[in-house]
Amino acid sequence: MSAATRVYIERGAKRVFASAVEWPGWCRAGRDEKAALDALAACAARYTPVAEIAGLEFPADAGGDFDVVERMPGNATTDFGAPGIIAKDESRPLPAAEAERTRALVAACWAALDRVVAKAPAELRKGPRGGGRDRDRIFEHVLGAESEYAKGIGLKLRPPDFKDAAAVAAFRQALLDRLRTPAGDARWPARYAARRIAWHALDHAWEIEDRTER
């Protein structure tokens, strides 16, 4: 039996996020803490390929037991639909080995997104009210959001053309490099930046999967 998965809980007025501390990108939301943890457990198997891409072993019983190590009050960002609060624990420096592991998982979330985008049709199934971005607009949205996230770690990056693979790779490499050596005056610590970037990429990868016609 593996040790319980350590998680942060971010509690807004309308939405609660549960984020796995050691597994950036493994983050789900619900209407309350129990629902968020249940959602996190339910998608454990979906996270396994991400860990594999990163060359890491994801515990077979991950999601079976959680240890809430920090609870944070949420804000408007939380209720809007993003984990927007930096945990106190995330202000700690990232040792070199942990930084490399974290960077590998962020890159794996991007790789998972790329694989999903490559397989998905251009037009995705619409939501219950007929809304939702199609595949290319989702990918563009992720890159645009990451351009904003870059500011949190002291970078000014223009979002690349989503069709230019080399430009996307260079853009992502700049983010990974900054996660290794954070700017001293950055608003976001590297741990939180990695969690936010990885969550957003993987959240939309899973959205595309869920909205792909079968």
Side-chain angles (χ1 to χ4, degrees):
M1 183 75 177
S2 299
T5 300
R6 299 169 67 240
V7 299
Y8 300 130
I9 292 292
E10 180 178 331
R11 188 180 300 160
K14 301 176 182 178
R15 196 186 307 258
V16 176
F17 277 92
S19 304
V21 176
E22 279 87 17
W23 300 100
W26 189 22
C27 172
R28 292 283 87 187
R31 66 185 182 280
D32 54 29
E33 182 172 318
K34 181 181 184 303
L37 289 171
D38 286 348
L40 193 67
C43 71
R46 297 184 82 171
Y47 191 85
T48 300
V50 176
E52 290 175 349
I53 292 169
L56 299 170
E57 183 177 353
F58 193 59
D61 57 356
D65 190 21
F66 294 113
D67 175 19
V68 178
V69 296
E70 192 170 338
R71 289 182 172 87
M72 303 96 76
N75 59 12
T77 300
T78 314
D79 287 328
F80 180 73
I85 302 298
I86 299 169
K88 293 178 181 177
D89 185 60
E90 289 177 314
S91 296
R92 294 182 296 112
L94 266 173
E98 191 176 350
E100 291 310 304
R101 180 183 183 279
T102 298
R103 291 169 71 254
L105 285 165
V106 171
C109 289
W110 285 330
L113 173 62
D114 292 346
R115 289 181 181 183
V116 170
V117 167
K119 294 179 181 178
E123 185 173 341
L124 302 176
R125 185 171 58 246
K126 301 304 181 186
R129 297 183 181 179
R133 301 179 183 94
D134 284 324
R135 181 199 64 199
D136 292 349
R137 298 292 79 78
I138 290 175
F139 195 43
E140 278 189 306
H141 163 71
V142 171
L143 293 169
E146 288 170 353
S147 178
E148 291 299 312
Y149 296 166
K151 296 175 184 177
I153 50 177
L155 280 177
K156 291 184 179 180
L157 295 174
R158 295 185 64 180
D161 181 343
F162 76 97
K163 296 179 181 178
D164 186 338
V168 171
F171 174 84
R172 289 171 170 175
Q173 188 61 52
L175 288 168
L176 290 176
D177 290 345
R178 182 51 60 92
L179 290 178
R180 179 190 286 134
T181 54
D185 58 350
R187 291 185 292 110
W188 289 1
R191 293 174 189 273
Y192 171 74
R195 176 163 66 94
R196 181 72 175 266
I197 293 167
W199 159 77
H200 195 238
L202 200 55
D203 186 62
H204 283 297
W206 291 345
E207 177 197 356
I208 294 171
E209 283 185 334
D210 291 343
R211 292 179 52 219
T212 295
E213 294 284 0
R214 290 182 175 85

